[in-house]
């Protein structure tokens, strides 16, 4: 954090409060940008869709960090943070430019890291697997009528005809007519994505919720490593040459 | 209750909160470029300047478009990317549909907390670098990606620690940090091209579009996550601006600001929330406007509006509003086949009554 970005509100809080989760949250540099004091005016709550239906309040999120209230923080870490819709309506409307959505995001990261997210992420396996093995997040195959019965009868019809419909739509657009992923990202591209997750420490974090996925990704990477690393070496040499 | 797009623009342009500091990301990027800290992927070819918050000009590239795709659109609403390609083909715009790109992974991140900022920013920077090395302007189909890339640009410019970590990861891939001069969503491009789209449009199609009544909904990540780089000022104007230019009568409704209920994780595992939020939005739309269609620019919102109308029968409501993306409307205006080229047959809420009203054959 540069000198000019110091935030007197969060600095004061940091120096006076305690608690494990609180300290972990304050390590995230986004918190300094997300809290500038809170008027308790409730504008954020009035605009929050999650507050309309759940026991969740963006005002409480800001207040609990300002107060360093470990008991409420723990309550949020264990379940309430997963109610936030991440719509940033709170940030957009707050007269103090606070962002409860960003604080919640920092807390979700910590919840995963600390092994508190297993229940919240049950049912999320297929997305995580797709991200790590295909390079994108959604596939036509995942949108089965069984999984989305509330999307109505037309989903059943669409699902049964999707192959021929996509073939017609994407004629002349290679790589677009696939159903096990959103588009046919190349193997080299997927390897680069996996390497980013590994090098950034994100893959290790995935292991706290989905340990088997780490094995799948590492096996996949190992299988391709020789060929892919040779390509990366070529790229590195090309980049170095361009700098000279 | 129609509104003029320009009134929205001038009325809200400089109205941000009480202690907001003007943040000129372009000036900060220029400084970092001069110091050798970052490279900037400058706009290639022609561009059009459009005004964002504080009167700052955003350069919208008009040619050489790297198509950063949306995984949600490609999987679920494939007519949208197809329409994005279609309008470019019709206007003679060169674009690149790259298979060496990945998803931005922001949907995953916001839904699950899996991943971290170094990962998210490195994925962004790798995709940006692909456009740079191929010699194209980076343009974005998805609103989640758009909000994420605006945020990643901001974080990479303002935080040296993150910047250094990302540079290290990129170096291991033989890549470097090149931040695009502008982060541009496809709906901003279509808006900037509105005169060209209208000039090239099929007059019969324009006749069918004229007088249709519509409401618009913008993805939250389009304008709430990073709100000072949005064409028109604090409230977006690009979807309604393009549509009204083509002859659609845009209507106002009281719940325009409210989130659609997508919620990233909610659409997967807590859909009772999604359905309840939709109930509020749709009720206001029906009572206050009862339009011919709902116009959108966001993958998640388009999905939510389209897929969550049928189930409202469970609470005694009967909704039937076709959900149309800005680019599908543009493609229709330019003469696209509604199914084979605009992919409207992939939508769950029937579009046929709208097409009948527009006089467009679809069989």
């Amino acid at each position: 954090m540069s000198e000019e970005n110091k935030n007197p509100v969060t600095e004061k809080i940091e120096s006076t409060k305690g608690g494990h989760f609180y300290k972990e949250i304050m390590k995230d540099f986004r918190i300094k940008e997300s809290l500038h004091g809170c008027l308790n005016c409730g504008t954020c709550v009035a605009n929050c869709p999650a507050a309309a239906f759940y026991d969740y309040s963006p005002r409480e999120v800001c207040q609990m960090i300002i107060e360093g209230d470990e008991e409420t923080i723990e309550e949020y870490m264990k379940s309430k943070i997963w109610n936030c819709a991440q719509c940033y309506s709170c940030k957009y409307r707050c007269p103090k430019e606070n962002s409860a959505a960003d604080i919640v995001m920092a807390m979700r990261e910590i919840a995963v890291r600390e092994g508190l997210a297993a229940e919240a992420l049950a049912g999320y396996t297929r997305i995580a697997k797709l991200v790590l093995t295909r390079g994108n997040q959604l596939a036509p195959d995942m949108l089965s009528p069984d999984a989305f019965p509330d999307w109505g009868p037309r989903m059943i019809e669409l699902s049964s005809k999707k192959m021929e419909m996509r073939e017609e739509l994407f004629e002349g657009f290679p790589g677009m007519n696939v159903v096990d992923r959103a588009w046919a990202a190349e193997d080299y591209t997927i390897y680069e994505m996996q390497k980013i997750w590994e090098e950034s420490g994100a893959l290790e974090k995935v292991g706290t919720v989905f340990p088997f996925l780490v094995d799948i990704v590492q096996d996949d990477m190992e299988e391709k490593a020789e060929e892919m690393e040779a390509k990366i070496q070529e790229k590195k040499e090309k980049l170095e040459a361009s700098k000279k | 209750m129609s509104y003029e797009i320009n009134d929205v623009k001038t009325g809200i342009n400089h109205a941000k909160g009480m202690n907001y500091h003007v943040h000129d990301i372009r000036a900060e990027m220029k400084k970092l470029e001069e110091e050798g800290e970052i490279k900037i992927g400058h706009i290639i070819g022609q561009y059009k300047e459009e005004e964002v918050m504080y009167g700052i000009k955003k350069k919208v590239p008009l040619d050489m478009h790297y198509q950063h795709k949306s995984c949600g659109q490609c999987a679920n609403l494939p007519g949208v990317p197809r329409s994005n390609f279609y309008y470019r083909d019709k206007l003679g715009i060169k674009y690149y549909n790259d298979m060496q790109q990945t998803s931005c992974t922001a949907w995953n991140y916001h839904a699950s907390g899996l991943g971290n900022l170094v990962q998210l920013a490195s994925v962004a920077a790798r995709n940006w670098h692909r456009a740079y090395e191929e010699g194209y302007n980076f343009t974005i189909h998805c609103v989640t990606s758009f909000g994420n890339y605006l945020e990643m640009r901001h974080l990479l410019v303002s935080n040296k620690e993150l910047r250094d970590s990302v540079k290290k990861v990129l170096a291991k891939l033989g890549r470097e940090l090149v931040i695009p001069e502008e982060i541009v969503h496809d709906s901003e491009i279509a808006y900037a091209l509105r005169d060209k789209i209208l000039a090239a449009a099929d007059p019969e199609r324009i006749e069918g579009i004229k007088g249709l009544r519509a409401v618009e909904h913008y993805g939250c990540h389009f304008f709430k996550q990073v709100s000072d780089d949005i064409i028109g000022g604090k409230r977006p104007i690009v979807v309604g601006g393009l549509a009204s230019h083509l002859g659609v009568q845009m209507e106002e409704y009281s719940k325009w600001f409210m989130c659609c209920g997508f919620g990233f994780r909610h659409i997967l595992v807590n859909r009772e929330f999604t359905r309840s939020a939709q109930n509020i939005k749709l009720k206001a739309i029906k009572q206050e406007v009862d339009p011919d269609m709902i116009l959108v620019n966001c993958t998640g919102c388009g999905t939510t509006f389209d897929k969550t109308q049928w189930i409202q029968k469970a609470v005694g409501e009967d909704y039937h509003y076709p959900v149309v993306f800005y680019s599908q409307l543009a493609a229709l205006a330019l003469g696209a086949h509604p199914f084979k080229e605009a992919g409207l047959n992939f939508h769950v809420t029937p579009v046929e009554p709208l097409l009948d009203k527009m006089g467009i054959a679809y069989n």
Side-chain angles (χ1 to χ4, degrees):
Chain A
M1 207 79 210
S2 63
E3 285 296 314
E4 62 268 30
N5 285 339
K6 276 188 176 171
N7 178 335
V9 175
T10 47
E11 269 183 21
K12 192 176 163 204
I13 301 165
E14 261 179 307
S15 62
T16 55
K17 309 290 178 185
H20 170 69
F21 287 133
Y22 171 79
K23 283 180 180 153
E24 285 300 307
I25 293 165
M26 294 309 287
K27 282 181 195 164
D28 193 306
F29 71 87
R30 282 172 294 185
I31 303 299
K32 286 188 167 62
E33 287 197 11
S34 305
L35 264 182
H36 306 98
C38 172
L39 302 170
N40 250 327
C41 67
T43 303
C44 53
V45 184
N47 285 280
C48 174
F53 301 108
Y54 294 118
D55 181 11
Y56 168 85
S57 158
R59 183 193 60 77
E60 198 171 35
V61 169
C62 293
Q63 285 292 325
M64 76 190 181
I65 302 296
I66 289 172
E67 294 297 323
D69 175 1
E70 191 70 3
E71 203 179 310
T72 313
I73 291 175
E74 206 175 312
E75 206 181 309
Y76 269 81
M77 287 293 292
K78 285 183 177 163
S79 66
K80 286 187 180 179
I81 47 168
W82 301 102
N83 293 335
C84 169
Q86 283 291 294
C87 71
Y88 287 83
S89 300
C90 50
K91 182 183 183 183
Y92 182 92
R93 285 274 160 90
C94 175
K96 298 291 282 180
E97 299 266 314
N98 293 336
S99 175
D102 277 313
I103 297 170
V104 163
M105 210 47 248
M107 291 173 77
R108 282 186 182 177
E109 272 202 43
I110 296 162
V112 172
R113 209 166 60 217
E114 303 236 343
L116 297 171
E119 197 185 323
L121 298 187
Y124 197 76
T125 326
R126 285 202 301 171
I127 305 269
K129 190 178 171 195
L130 200 67
V131 171
L132 289 163
T133 59
R134 292 284 181 263
N136 48 51
Q137 302 170 119
L138 200 63
D141 272 354
M142 286 164 67
L143 300 164
S144 66
D146 294 350
F148 297 90
D150 52 338
W151 286 6
R154 196 137 165 172
M155 263 310 275
I156 300 167
E157 195 190 325
L158 277 177
S159 186
S160 65
K161 290 195 300 191
K162 66 174 181 268
M163 293 290 277
E164 62 212 65
M165 283 167 67
R166 291 181 74 89
E167 207 175 304
E168 184 177 63
L169 188 73
F170 286 126
E171 199 188 338
F173 293 90
M176 297 297 287
N177 185 22
V178 285
V179 287
D180 64 339
R181 60 192 89 177
W183 61 83
E186 293 176 10
D187 277 356
Y188 177 56
T189 303
I190 297 166
Y191 183 80
E192 280 191 279
M193 172 82 122
Q194 292 169 331
K195 209 167 152 95
I196 287 174
W197 280 74
E198 194 175 51
E199 295 291 338
S200 63
L203 187 61
E204 195 186 335
K205 219 175 99 181
V206 170
T208 62
V209 190
F210 304 116
F212 66 95
L213 257 182
V214 179
D215 294 338
I216 290 174
V217 173
Q218 283 172 343
D219 287 352
D220 194 22
M221 286 181 78
E222 213 174 286
E223 217 170 273
K224 296 184 286 193
E226 202 175 327
E227 186 192 347
M228 300 302 166
E229 287 298 331
K231 276 190 177 184
I232 287 177
Q233 190 53 37
E234 264 176 49
K235 266 197 111 54
K236 283 181 182 172
E237 284 162 14
K238 210 173 144 192
L239 185 66
E240 277 310 309
S242 72
K243 284 178 184 168
K244 281 173 191 164
Chain B
M1 197 164 58
S2 298
Y3 69 94
E4 289 293 323
I5 287 299
N6 285 333
D7 289 347
V8 174
K9 180 177 172 178
T10 51
I12 309 181
N13 211 359
H14 305 285
K16 190 104 196 207
M18 62 176 82
N19 57 355
Y20 192 79
H21 309 292
V22 174
H23 175 228
D24 187 353
I25 188 92
R26 290 161 184 82
E28 287 171 44
M29 281 169 64
K30 197 166 174 242
K31 190 167 164 264
L32 288 177
E33 188 187 34
E34 282 164 7
E35 290 167 359
E37 264 291 303
I38 59 164
K39 269 190 175 180
I40 296 179
H42 290 282
I43 299 277
I44 297 158
Q46 274 197 321
Y47 60 85
K48 187 174 178 196
E49 287 188 335
E50 297 284 357
E51 201 174 328
V52 298
M53 190 96 84
Y54 309 115
I56 291 170
K57 304 278 192 232
K58 181 171 187 170
K59 291 178 187 170
V60 181
L62 300 179
D63 201 4
M64 302 300 286
H65 294 158
Y66 181 92
Q67 299 283 277
H68 185 47
K69 293 187 290 278
S70 158
C71 41
Q73 285 174 11
C74 290
N76 177 36
L77 297 161
V80 185
R82 181 67 182 87
S83 296
N84 296 350
F85 301 151
Y86 183 90
Y87 84 73
R88 286 177 170 82
D89 282 335
K90 277 282 176 178
L91 299 180
I93 294 166
K94 196 171 174 200
Y95 61 93
Y96 184 40
N97 176 21
D98 184 22
M99 289 302 149
Q100 284 190 38
Q101 65 182 294
T102 69
S103 286
C104 67
T105 69
W107 178 36
N108 161 74
Y109 180 72
H110 287 280
S112 71
L114 290 171
N116 59 39
L117 282 181
V118 176
Q119 170 266 318
L120 203 55
S122 300
V123 168
R126 200 204 75 89
N127 282 326
W128 293 340
H129 193 254
R130 276 298 300 150
Y132 175 76
E133 68 183 354
E134 294 294 335
Y136 282 83
N137 296 305
F138 193 76
T139 70
I140 305 162
H141 288 188
C142 177
V143 155
T144 300
S145 304
F146 175 68
N148 175 58
Y149 288 141
L150 282 175
E151 188 177 35
M152 290 308 116
R153 177 178 70 170
H154 165 69
L155 294 178
L156 283 165
V157 167
S158 64
N159 193 284
K160 185 164 168 38
E161 203 181 317
L162 178 66
R163 203 159 59 230
D164 288 344
S165 302
V166 168
K167 280 181 185 175
K168 257 186 221 164
V169 174
L170 290 174
K172 293 199 170 166
L173 303 175
R175 299 186 184 275
E176 57 187 339
L177 180 60
V178 184
I179 303 180
E181 185 179 353
E182 299 287 358
I183 301 291
V184 193
H185 187 259
D186 193 73
S187 60
E188 298 185 304
I189 294 171
Y191 174 72
L193 288 166
R194 60 196 180 280
D195 286 332
K196 284 189 180 176
I197 292 171
L198 183 61
D202 176 341
E204 270 182 41
R205 291 287 175 92
I206 291 296
E207 206 46 50
I209 288 172
K210 214 174 272 175
L212 288 176
R213 294 167 68 250
V215 293
E216 59 183 340
H217 172 84
Y218 292 94
C220 291
H221 284 216
F222 186 64
F223 71 112
K224 297 176 188 170
Q225 190 175 10
V226 178
S227 59
D228 53 10
D229 212 52
I230 309 306
I231 292 175
K234 199 172 177 188
R235 180 173 174 178
I237 60 168
V238 292
V239 172
L242 169 68
S244 57
H245 199 67
L246 297 177
V248 176
Q249 186 182 327
M250 295 305 298
E251 302 282 357
E252 185 69 288
Y253 68 110
S254 58
K255 298 288 179 192
W256 72 270
F257 179 83
M258 189 185 163
C259 165
C260 70
F262 179 71
F264 299 90
R265 53 179 285 99
H266 300 71
I267 191 79
L268 291 169
V269 291
N270 293 99
R271 275 204 302 289
E272 73 282 0
F273 166 82
T274 308
R275 294 191 286 265
S276 304
Q278 273 291 296
N279 184 265
I280 293 176
K281 297 273 297 186
L282 290 166
K283 202 173 272 180
I285 289 171
K286 186 174 188 175
Q287 286 174 354
E288 297 170 26
V289 183
D290 196 22
D292 295 307
M293 60 183 159
I294 298 171
L295 288 169
V296 294
N297 72 341
C298 170
T299 312
C301 308
T303 303
T304 306
F305 270 105
D306 182 45
K307 310 294 195 266
T308 318
Q309 291 190 45
W310 177 83
I311 192 65
Q312 302 294 337
K313 290 182 202 305
V315 288
E317 303 285 357
D318 185 17
Y319 299 116
H320 45 78
Y321 300 118
V323 179
V324 180
F325 279 69
Y326 64 94
S327 57
Q328 290 176 310
L329 182 72
L332 288 177
L334 290 164
H337 187 284
F339 293 171
K340 292 176 191 170
E341 289 165 324
L344 283 159
N345 50 341
F346 283 86
H347 297 210
V348 166
T349 302
V351 293
E352 288 82 353
L354 174 69
L355 295 172
D356 288 339
K357 194 165 183 178
M358 293 167 85
I360 300 175
Y362 44 85
N363 285 326

